[in-house]
Amino acid sequence: MERIDLPPVGPTDLPLSLLEMGCSGRFELITHPLPHHQPLPPQSTLPHGLPPTSLNLEAEVEKQFLRDPAWLPIHDTDAAFQKFLKVTNRDVRVDSLLNCTPSSLHSGLSVIRDPTTGMLLDFTEVLLEDTGLSAKNSLSLQRQPGPPSESLRGSNTNYPFLPGGMEELTLDQIKKKSDLEEDIDFENDLLRVPPGLKAGMDFSDKGAKATKAEVNLMSLLSTFDDIIDLQLEAEEKEKGSESTEAPKLARTNSLEDLGIKVMQLITSDVKSKPQEDPEENKKWAIPVNITSPCEDFHKRIPNPAFKWPFELDVFQKQAVLRLEAHDSVFVAAHTSAGKTVVAEYAIALSQKHMTRTIYTSPIKALSNQKFRDFKNTFGDVGLLTGDVQLSPEASCLIMTTEILRSMLYNGSEVIRDLEWVIFDEVHYINDAESPWMTVFRPLSPRSLCCPQRGVVWEEVLIMLPEHVSIILLSATVPNALEFSEWIGRIKKRHIYVISTMKRPVPLEHYLYTGNSTKTQKEMFLLLDATGNFLTKGYYNAVDAKKERTSKHAQSFGTKNTSQNTSASQDRPVWLSLLHFLSERQQTPVVAFTFSRTRCDENARSLASMDLTTSVEKAEIHSFFQKSLSRLRGGDRQLPQILLMRDLLKRGIAVHHSGILPILKEVIEMLFSRGLVKVLFATETFAMGVNMPARTVVFDSIRKHDGTGFRNLLPGEYIQMAGRAGRRGLDATGTVIILCKTGVHDMGDLHVMMLGKPTVLQSQFRLTYTMILNLLRVEALRVTDMMRRSFSESHRDTQAHEKRIRQLKEKVSSLPPLDTEGQLSDLVPYYHTVTELRITTEALQFSPPRLRPSCPVLSPRQVSSDSVNRTFTALIICEKGNEEGEGNGPNAGALPHLYNTALFIPEGPCSHTVQKLKLQDISAITVKTLKVIPDRIIDNYNKRQQPRFRHDPPGQAISTATQELLRLAEANPGGVATLDPVNDLQLKSVDVVEGSMRLRLLQDSLRDFNCIHSPTFSEQYARVQERMGVQEELDKLLFLVSDQSLTLLPEYHQRIKVLQALKYVDSSNAVQLKGRVACQISSHELLLTELLFENALSPLAPEESAALLSCLVFTQNTQVEPHITNTLQEGIDRVLSVAQRIGELQRECGIAQSAEDFVGQFKFGLTEVVYCWARGMPFAEIAQLTDVQEGTVVRCIQRLDEVLKEVRQAARIVGDSVLGSKMEKASLAIRRDIVFTASLYTH
């Protein structure tokens, strides 16, 4: 092929060129302008000529740093630099300074097709909405997706998606200015010189000359008034039905009539609308009836998304029907009832719909087990925990609640495709001890290893977007309906509550009193399978126990409540019980023991017991060796592993948080296969899945909850006892309570077995992370989150707002007040009277502290219960007014007047006897009258009977009434009264201040002019009515406002702390420190302060890891760690920072003391972590501390998550050295047995 030389491109030629695509022989047409009219060069994706054999370094340096120094500016005005540009042949390109991203297209093309044939007819341009939205400026689901690297976890600079049930701000709310905003005068207040510039804009009026107006069409039309009028008339005709007034058209009466009719219809619709509002009194939680069988289930769902090899129960069918309708459900059922069926159907449904499901569980171990089960069933399942990330692109993701919260706050793209979120074991949000917070049980109430999961869980529920449906799986709880009502109200969608009390395998509860071969069959039925409490069985147990007690203790079995025994004392009890159960083939057995140490001791004490066959021994040995083959040789010889291997071979095992995680998984798998016959476990085992036993034994019914010993709660007992009975294998499950030293109290047993489980309670509390995450997004407010929490669910805002509307209408309809002339001080008078009434009531109901030695009162007059007492009083009144409530014709006319004048009847005097309450007595007089009370009362009661009604009053009454009348006539202005302070000797501050205030208010009433007005009574009644309505309105407005939120004071206190530490500025805008703290899930203030004070900089990677272990370790240890000087300095630094933060919090009003804040950081594992990071084998570091191996492993695993958070925070700050140091520390601890992969995930 001949080479053709092309002439230079002419001015009329198109700038076209061919690009050869590699060696494929394919060409692409490219268009771009060529500089300086150069001819078209041959262009190819392949390099021309032979590759260079060696690079000329001088030429490379010249090319990179002189010919094209991109790192040097080309727009410098310096003369020497301009000379340099000429030497290097570089041109100044001003347009390169204008670097702005291209705006997105605001319109697109839409196809017009024939509706019948579908044939393409035309294209039309359509405007695109929301084109400028992104994850950095919008909460909308319509925004553009972020980069792929942020699709899973999101970014801390992203906005979250709009939470469901939370409305976006309206135009009026946006226009409404806050206190910090101010109006700007765009003519006078504008700044003229920008910061950093010498000159600015001149906005002054230069006196522009007014140009002569051009003649246009409108100026011509303005001369024709009738044309304009006609145009307006035509517009009014078109808008007649929408306008607020009927158009007045003189020529057409019919149209006018029609307009009036339309207006009447519109106004009547408006009036009737509030009555038809569906939102009023709406119930969001809908209980589903599961008593009748669901016979048409297969007709309604002919092609289910998932099929089971067994027939579903009614509650499962009802749940599936609701899921098919894409409704949210709350399923409450006993352990092993089959709640997992609901979760499985949701996962299958999302796979069918090609959407995604997220399953969250309270603890990581449960997540791993569920991952294995769902992976076997569905295949496309992923796992996200703090240290593991498997198949994050899967349609079903299993994760911890903290990760889901982080994804919601950070706007993860996974949320777009999300159809279901499944919350398992919902009843555990109440547990302030362990499962929802830590994997191991802390030893003190404040020992939180990670944020309390109850609050995380509530945050997640509130933050979920509208399109996500919610599935809640729980054990039976009393307030499922109330809880679902709260969720429905905040999400503005119905929640269907499906609750069943039926157990698939009924339970029988026994008391066991045996302790030897002779007495091993002493097992007494206490609660049968139908739920009947058998007192006969209880007394039989008491009698059996009494027979063996010494003479000294034979008073009664229940009084011996001390159940504290040693493992050696318990050994005969366990041996006799397990022999008995083994003979009756009632294994496997789970023995719940509420002490990790006692679990180990009990298992070791059964050295003589062997419960497995030789075949089972071989199977256990094979599985054990295979599971531990991934461990290093040294780790396989750990004392705990060797001990457990010996126990397992005999069919005995131990399960608690101190056991190594991999060992716990081996035990769980062997137990589910029926090879572990007796398992000594703590309460956490009750959360396991697919771990039912034939029998459950309670070592005790008392446990330590972090503050002290208490009996098991009904919910705890039911959850653990529910592990008894294997569905399809056992007719009934057996639950046994050991009576080692005596029989437990019958009342305690009855409450524990038949009492109601604990209600679900809100664990919502404010955290700095939550506040900062919400403050960085302007559209979300912390008060919105607080208002939607379960703790505020008692606020019936809808009912309040309805009443507020009614009261506002009532206030506007009330007649106006006359406050002119004499009545000008009527409103202040009302307020004074109201204050007087409140002060009087406060004095009357203040706790009485009258001394019996009080000189003015006799001992019998001093009452300890004067608040609830009534006083029988003889009252003089007008003749004929004996039945009246008052004591005169004008007595009730002005009840507001605190008049001290005594009543004197104008006509004949009569009397009545009435019961007075404390509030009817305003004072005690100095004067006393001698009367005979019994005779007065007897005579009065006698004359109330019809036959004695006309009898004259007795001598005692006549004398008393004459004395009262004489007293009133002698003191018409009032009788002297006892002073509460001086006479009654009430010396408390409240009473003294109240008495002084009362005297001042009574004196001030005489100074008002309004009381002399002739219309005073009428006008005062109006004021009273209006003020009563206004007070109720103000009270309701306060209740629906943010000011009534329980946590609002604490929120303001925490904001003060954040402002003092410069995490937010005075306008609550999040600063750099705040952005760093958003990345950290727990102890965010301490970590951020350490980061910004460079406290970790002088430390080596292993020392940093050791120091940060104080954030994840929560136990007290008896062993003092041996550490380096640098590490000791680091510890002192951490404690001083913690002390400073604690004191600042106290100054800002937060209740936690500085000592408590500092005390939560424990340094007991610093030496262990330091040696582990330096490569010491696990067997050796286990000797450095008294902390159990499983706890050490979990602390180091949690520490790895903290190191990742610090590394991410260091990158935000820009400290790459610290970031790489954290990475090294993380790599140093991620090894061997501590980070062995879970058996469930492989």
Side-chain angles (χ1 to χ4, degrees):
M1 187 175 174
E2 272 186 52
R3 182 182 174 84
I4 303 171
D5 290 325
L6 296 174
V9 181
T12 57
D13 290 336
L14 290 170
L16 300 176
S17 181
L18 287 175
L19 174 66
E20 184 183 2
M21 303 300 291
C23 304
S24 62
R26 193 163 61 81
F27 293 87
E28 278 194 8
L29 192 67
I30 57 173
T31 64
H32 59 80
L34 291 170
H36 305 303
H37 303 289
Q38 292 175 1
L40 285 171
Q43 299 195 38
S44 170
T45 57
L46 295 173
H48 291 285
L50 294 171
T53 52
S54 62
L55 293 173
N56 185 342
L57 292 178
E58 188 179 338
E60 282 295 310
V61 170
E62 183 183 340
K63 180 185 174 185
Q64 188 172 350
F65 294 106
L66 294 177
R67 293 195 179 281
D68 188 24
W71 49 277
L72 287 172
I74 58 173
H75 305 100
D76 202 307
T77 54
D78 186 74
F81 197 79
Q82 291 297 325
K83 190 175 180 183
F84 164 73
L85 289 177
K86 287 174 185 174
V87 172
T88 54
N89 296 323
R90 296 180 75 204
D91 297 328
V92 174
R93 297 194 304 277
V94 178
D95 58 340
S96 68
L97 292 172
L98 305 172
N99 180 27
C100 58
T101 54
S103 60
S104 51
L105 294 172
H106 288 276
S107 64
L109 291 179
S110 179
V111 176
I112 300 175
R113 295 183 183 275
D114 187 291
T116 312
T117 63
M119 188 180 292
L120 181 66
L121 300 177
D122 199 0
F123 293 93
T124 181
E125 186 179 15
V126 291
L127 290 175
L128 301 175
E129 293 183 358
D130 304 330
T131 53
L133 302 184
S134 73
K136 309 300 179 191
N137 62 13
S138 170
L139 302 169
S140 172
L141 283 163
Q142 306 300 320
R143 71 194 193 194
Q144 294 177 8
S149 61
E150 296 176 1
S151 63
L152 181 65
R153 301 282 181 129
S155 165
N156 70 329
T157 57
N158 284 357
Y159 275 32
F161 291 107
L162 183 71
M166 210 178 274
E167 299 83 6
E168 290 194 71
L169 292 175
T170 62
L171 195 61
D172 293 335
Q173 288 172 316
I174 293 168
K175 285 180 178 176
K176 189 177 178 182
K177 293 182 176 61
S178 69
D179 299 337
L180 298 169
E181 292 177 312
E182 55 184 23
D183 290 318
I184 296 173
D185 185 347
F186 281 94
E187 292 181 2
N188 302 319
D189 292 348
L190 292 180
L191 299 173
R192 287 170 171 74
V193 182
L197 297 186
K198 294 177 181 177
M201 294 290 289
D202 186 6
F203 294 112
S204 60
D205 189 3
K206 298 289 186 183
K209 295 178 182 177
T211 56
K212 190 176 180 182
E214 294 180 6
V215 177
N216 55 24
L217 183 61
M218 285 310 295
S219 64
L220 290 172
L221 283 174
S222 63
T223 58
F224 301 102
D225 293 338
D226 53 340
I227 294 175
I228 301 295
D229 291 340
L230 283 171
Q231 177 68 20
L232 289 171
E233 257 180 29
E235 285 178 10
E236 280 180 8
K237 276 184 189 177
E238 287 175 9
K239 296 181 181 177
S241 61
E242 298 171 9
S243 64
T244 53
E245 294 180 12
K248 296 179 181 178
L249 301 174
R251 289 177 291 179
T252 53
N253 291 328
S254 59
L255 274 177
E256 187 176 351
D257 294 341
L258 180 65
I260 290 167
K261 284 174 185 173
V262 168
M263 287 307 297
Q264 285 172 346
L265 281 170
I266 290 170
T267 52
S268 67
D269 282 350
V270 169
K271 284 177 184 174
S272 63
K273 195 171 183 181
Q275 297 169 359
E276 296 170 6
D277 191 353
E279 294 295 315
E280 298 290 350
N281 304 320
K282 190 171 186 177
K283 290 290 181 189
W284 296 105
I286 301 173
V288 177
N289 181 20
I290 59 162
T291 53
S292 54
C294 190
E295 292 171 355
D296 60 344
F297 175 73
H298 296 291
K299 288 181 183 176
R300 292 168 71 177
I301 309 177
N303 298 310
F306 191 79
K307 292 179 181 176
W308 291 269
F310 52 86
E311 182 67 19
L312 297 182
D313 292 338
V314 177
F315 86 91
Q316 293 168 331
K317 289 180 178 177
Q318 289 288 0
V320 167
L321 287 171
R322 297 269 58 97
L323 296 189
E324 280 284 354
H326 202 265
D327 291 322
S328 296
V329 294
F330 185 115
V331 180
H334 284 299
T335 307
S336 307
K339 297 188 289 286
T340 309
V341 162
V342 185
E344 287 174 340
Y345 197 81
I347 296 166
L349 210 53
S350 71
Q351 290 187 344
K352 181 181 176 182
H353 296 161
M354 299 180 75
T355 55
R356 303 181 93 167
T357 298
I358 286 178
Y359 171 95
T360 70
S361 67
I363 57 172
K364 196 173 84 170
L366 193 55
S367 297
N368 291 339
Q369 291 173 8
K370 284 292 183 186
F371 173 75
R372 181 195 61 175
D373 294 350
F374 291 157
K375 185 83 173 172
N376 293 338
T377 309
F378 300 103
D380 190 22
V381 178
L383 177 67
L384 289 178
T385 57
D387 57 340
V388 178
Q389 182 171 308
L390 299 173
S391 308
E393 71 290 339
S395 64
C396 172
L397 287 176
I398 295 168
M399 62 181 68
T400 52
T401 327
E402 286 88 356
I403 290 175
L404 178 55
R405 175 182 67 166
S406 171
M407 287 167 66
L408 286 166
Y409 277 134
N410 293 344
S412 164
E413 295 299 326
V414 172
I415 307 299
R416 286 181 189 273
D417 308 327
L418 197 54
E419 185 177 7
W420 307 100
V421 172
I422 303 162
F423 295 93
D424 203 356
E425 307 281 358
V426 168
H427 52 282
Y428 271 98
I429 66 161
N430 283 346
D431 195 348
E433 295 164 31
S434 163
W436 277 88
M437 297 183 298
T438 64
V439 181
F440 57 88
R441 188 173 304 281
L443 298 180
S444 68
R446 284 190 297 273
S447 54
L448 303 182
C449 174
C450 60
Q452 195 176 20
R453 296 245 170 106
V455 61
V456 177
W457 189 88
E458 261 181 81
E459 280 181 76
V460 167
L461 272 173
I462 295 167
M463 289 297 293
L464 282 174
E466 191 177 8
H467 69 277
V468 182
S469 293
I470 299 163
I471 297 171
L472 301 130
L473 307 178
S474 167
T476 50
V477 286
N479 62 334
L481 210 61
E482 177 201 349
F483 190 77
S484 304
E485 180 70 27
W486 163 68
I487 296 173
R489 189 160 62 245
I490 64 168
K491 306 313 284 184
K492 294 192 176 167
R493 65 186 301 168
H494 290 301
I495 309 286
Y496 289 86
V497 182
I498 299 165
S499 186
T500 176
M501 297 302 291
K502 181 188 170 187
R503 279 193 181 278
V505 181
L507 301 179
E508 292 179 337
H509 304 256
Y510 293 87
L511 293 175
Y512 186 79
T513 60
N515 63 356
S516 64
T517 312
K518 184 182 174 184
T519 60
Q520 70 175 13
K521 293 183 181 179
E522 286 184 1
M523 201 160 80
F524 304 95
L525 183 62
L526 187 63
L527 192 72
D528 64 16
T530 54
N532 299 315
F533 192 84
L534 309 174
T535 53
K536 184 182 176 183
Y538 177 79
Y539 288 118
N540 288 342
V542 171
D543 293 340
K545 201 71 182 170
K546 278 174 71 177
E547 283 176 16
R548 292 195 306 278
T549 54
S550 64
K551 297 284 182 187
H552 175 72
Q554 277 196 5
S555 56
F556 193 60
T558 54
K559 290 184 181 177
N560 187 8
T561 54
S562 174
Q563 296 287 331
N564 298 326
T565 55
S566 65
S568 58
Q569 289 173 307
D570 290 353
R571 185 171 177 273
V573 178
W574 283 113
L575 285 171
S576 58
L577 173 66
L578 294 175
H579 275 127
F580 176 59
L581 294 176
S582 186
E583 284 173 12
R584 292 178 59 177
Q585 296 183 342
Q586 286 193 294
T587 56
V589 177
V590 176
F592 284 111
T593 310
F594 305 112
S595 159
R596 291 177 299 201
T597 312
R598 183 54 70 87
C599 278
D600 298 334
E601 289 173 352
N602 285 345
R604 282 197 293 267
S605 70
L606 302 178
S608 61
M609 183 166 275
D610 192 344
L611 300 167
T612 53
T613 64
S614 56
V615 176
E616 287 173 334
K617 281 184 170 61
E619 195 176 341
I620 290 167
H621 179 78
S622 170
F623 182 81
F624 193 84
Q625 294 303 113
K626 185 181 172 186
S627 299
L628 299 184
S629 60
R630 64 186 69 189
L631 296 181
R632 276 180 46 184
D635 289 341
R636 287 183 218 162
Q637 302 302 313
L638 287 170
Q640 194 180 82
I641 289 179
L642 297 175
L643 173 67
M644 203 60 67
R645 186 181 66 190
D646 295 337
L647 287 172
L648 281 169
K649 282 183 182 176
R650 293 184 284 113
I652 301 165
V654 178
H655 187 287
H656 56 70
S657 59
I659 303 294
L660 291 164
I662 190 166
L663 213 47
K664 280 173 71 174
E665 290 178 353
V666 169
I667 291 162
E668 287 163 5
M669 289 178 174
L670 288 173
F671 185 86
S672 61
R673 289 160 68 168
L675 296 171
V676 172
K677 307 300 181 183
V678 179
L679 178 66
F680 291 94
T682 52
E683 191 180 352
T684 46
F685 184 76
M687 296 184 67
V689 289
N690 295 332
M691 300 288 168
R694 175 73 180 85
T695 306
V696 163
V697 179
F698 285 92
D699 177 68
S700 171
I701 62 165
R702 292 181 68 75
K703 63 176 271 192
H704 195 277
D705 62 359
T707 53
F709 282 96
R710 62 167 173 81
N711 287 342
L712 289 178
L713 298 172
E716 295 169 337
Y717 178 78
I718 290 166
Q719 178 74 14
M720 286 182 269
R723 288 286 149 215
R726 297 163 297 178
R727 194 169 188 171
L729 293 175
D730 305 321
T732 59
T734 306
V735 183
I736 298 170
I737 298 170
L738 296 187
C739 304
K740 292 182 287 191
T741 57
V743 183
H744 304 281
D745 183 74
M746 187 197 288
D748 292 344
L749 292 169
H750 192 276
V751 168
M752 185 179 72
M753 292 176 173
L754 296 173
K756 280 192 174 181
T758 315
V759 296
L760 291 177
Q761 294 172 329
S762 175
Q763 303 296 326
F764 188 84
R765 60 187 175 88
L766 291 172
T767 61
Y768 292 110
T769 306
M770 179 208 298
I771 292 170
L772 291 166
N773 268 310
L774 293 172
L775 285 179
R776 69 181 177 84
V777 182
E778 291 177 17
L780 297 177
R781 296 184 305 162
V782 184
T783 49
D784 286 337
M785 183 75 88
M786 289 191 281
R787 196 184 298 111
R788 283 167 171 76
S789 73
F790 188 39
S791 58
E792 299 287 344
S793 61
H794 61 276
R795 294 159 60 98
D796 191 358
T797 313
Q798 271 189 349
H800 288 339
E801 285 176 349
K802 182 182 177 183
R803 180 66 181 149
I804 285 168
R805 286 196 298 271
Q806 293 171 350
L807 290 173
K808 282 182 176 177
E809 289 171 11
K810 188 173 179 180
V811 167
S812 59
S813 66
L814 288 174
L817 299 176
D818 181 10
T819 54
E820 300 295 324
Q822 269 188 323
L823 295 170
S824 60
D825 56 0
L826 182 60
V827 175
Y829 177 82
Y830 170 81
H831 291 312
T832 307
V833 169
T834 306
E835 193 178 347
L836 183 61
R837 176 173 51 79
I838 293 166
T839 308
T840 307
E841 286 174 3
L843 273 176
Q844 285 174 336
F845 289 103
S846 63
R849 293 185 182 84
L850 292 178
R851 291 182 233 162
S853 59
C854 182
V856 295
L857 295 177
S858 64
R860 58 180 295 189
Q861 287 175 293
V862 181
S863 167
S864 60
D865 189 25
S866 57
V867 175
N868 300 317
R869 279 188 66 184
T870 56
F871 302 88
T872 308
L874 175 68
I875 301 168
I876 56 172
C877 60
E878 298 274 2
K879 186 82 171 173
N881 196 32
E882 291 89 349
E883 301 299 321
E885 289 298 317
N887 44 6
N890 297 319
L894 299 174
H896 50 275
L897 277 176
Y898 283 82
N899 196 350
T900 56
L902 297 181
F903 167 75
I904 301 172
E906 294 176 4
C909 179
S910 184
H911 65 273
T912 181
V913 173
Q914 289 189 6
K915 296 272 188 186
L916 300 183
K917 293 180 181 175
L918 183 65
Q919 54 263 38
D920 298 326
I921 298 169
S922 60
I924 304 171
T925 61
V926 176
K927 278 272 189 187
T928 56
L929 298 178
K930 285 187 179 180
V931 293
I932 307 168
D934 296 340
R935 286 189 187 178
I936 292 173
I937 293 167
D938 291 343
N939 184 257
Y940 181 80
N941 290 338
K942 176 186 170 186
R943 286 185 297 115
Q944 296 308 301
Q945 298 173 22
R947 56 187 289 202
F948 301 114
R949 184 157 290 171
H950 299 291
D951 287 8
Q955 182 63 36
I957 290 182
S958 299
T959 309
T961 50
Q962 286 170 10
E963 287 287 333
L964 282 173
L965 193 60
R966 197 177 298 117
L967 185 69
E969 288 170 348
N971 304 280
V975 187
T977 59
L978 293 175
D979 184 78
V981 179
N982 298 326
D983 298 326
L984 299 180
Q985 296 184 2
L986 298 175
K987 301 293 186 183
S988 71
V989 177
D990 295 340
V991 174
V992 174
E993 288 180 351
S995 301
M996 292 170 65
R997 183 81 190 135
L998 196 67
R999 209 172 292 118
L1000 284 170
L1001 290 168
Q1002 285 171 342
D1003 294 343
S1004 67
L1005 283 180
R1006 301 188 187 94
D1007 301 333
F1008 285 95
N1009 293 320
C1010 58
I1011 54 176
H1012 306 299
S1013 170
T1015 59
F1016 170 69
S1017 300
E1018 180 192 343
Q1019 292 300 325
Y1020 186 85
R1022 283 188 184 180
V1023 169
Q1024 209 168 15
E1025 184 184 8
R1026 178 179 285 271
M1027 290 301 179
V1029 174
Q1030 190 63 49
E1031 281 167 14
E1032 187 184 352
L1033 181 60
D1034 291 343
K1035 184 181 176 183
L1036 289 175
L1037 286 171
F1038 171 75
L1039 286 176
V1040 299
S1041 73
D1042 291 344
Q1043 302 306 312
S1044 64
L1045 291 170
T1046 314
L1047 290 171
L1048 193 72
E1050 188 191 341
Y1051 168 61
H1052 290 312
Q1053 291 159 3
R1054 288 186 182 270
I1055 285 289
K1056 279 184 192 172
V1057 174
L1058 292 173
Q1059 287 176 346
L1061 292 172
K1062 303 288 191 297
Y1063 286 61
V1064 297
D1065 62 13
S1066 56
S1067 61
N1068 288 348
V1070 179
Q1071 304 301 297
L1072 176 61
K1073 284 174 86 171
R1075 278 187 54 214
V1076 170
C1078 283
Q1079 285 291 314
I1080 300 163
S1081 59
S1082 61
H1083 304 303
E1084 51 275 18
L1085 292 190
L1086 181 72
L1087 260 179
T1088 308
E1089 290 303 304
L1090 291 175
L1091 207 65
F1092 277 85
E1093 290 186 11
N1094 288 327
L1096 302 174
S1097 297
L1099 302 176
E1102 55 271 18
E1103 290 174 329
S1104 301
L1107 185 65
L1108 293 176
S1109 68
C1110 70
L1111 304 177
V1112 293
F1113 181 62
T1114 57
Q1115 291 181 212
N1116 294 314
T1117 57
Q1118 305 301 321
V1119 180
E1120 194 66 34
H1122 303 285
I1123 48 179
T1124 62
N1125 292 333
T1126 319
L1127 201 47
Q1128 186 59 52
E1129 288 170 12
I1131 290 173
D1132 296 339
R1133 185 86 175 267
V1134 169
L1135 291 173
S1136 68
V1137 171
Q1139 182 71 26
R1140 180 163 56 83
I1141 295 171
E1143 286 169 359
L1144 176 63
Q1145 287 191 145
R1146 201 81 186 93
E1147 286 168 18
C1148 294
I1150 292 173
Q1152 189 182 28
S1153 68
E1155 291 75 22
D1156 286 347
F1157 183 78
V1158 175
Q1160 64 186 321
F1161 305 110
K1162 305 280 195 311
F1163 297 90
L1165 276 194
T1166 44
E1167 184 186 7
V1168 171
V1169 174
Y1170 179 69
C1171 294
W1172 177 252
R1174 295 189 70 188
M1176 186 182 282
F1178 193 83
E1180 292 180 30
I1181 68 158
Q1183 303 299 320
L1184 299 174
T1185 179
D1186 55 351
V1187 179
Q1188 288 181 305
E1189 292 91 328
T1191 306
V1192 172
V1193 168
R1194 278 178 180 76
C1195 274
I1196 297 175
Q1197 288 174 344
R1198 279 280 301 144
L1199 177 61
D1200 185 55
E1201 294 174 38
V1202 173
L1203 293 174
K1204 284 178 184 173
E1205 288 176 353
V1206 176
R1207 187 176 68 203
Q1208 187 65 27
R1211 284 177 181 163
I1212 294 172
V1213 178
D1215 190 345
S1216 57
V1217 176
L1218 182 62
S1220 61
K1221 188 185 289 184
M1222 291 298 113
E1223 199 158 356
K1224 285 177 188 171
S1226 183
L1227 287 171
I1229 64 171
R1230 288 183 66 87
R1231 61 182 178 84
D1232 299 349
I1233 193 168
V1234 175
F1235 283 89
T1236 305
S1238 168
L1239 297 177
Y1240 290 114
T1241 59
H1242 286 76

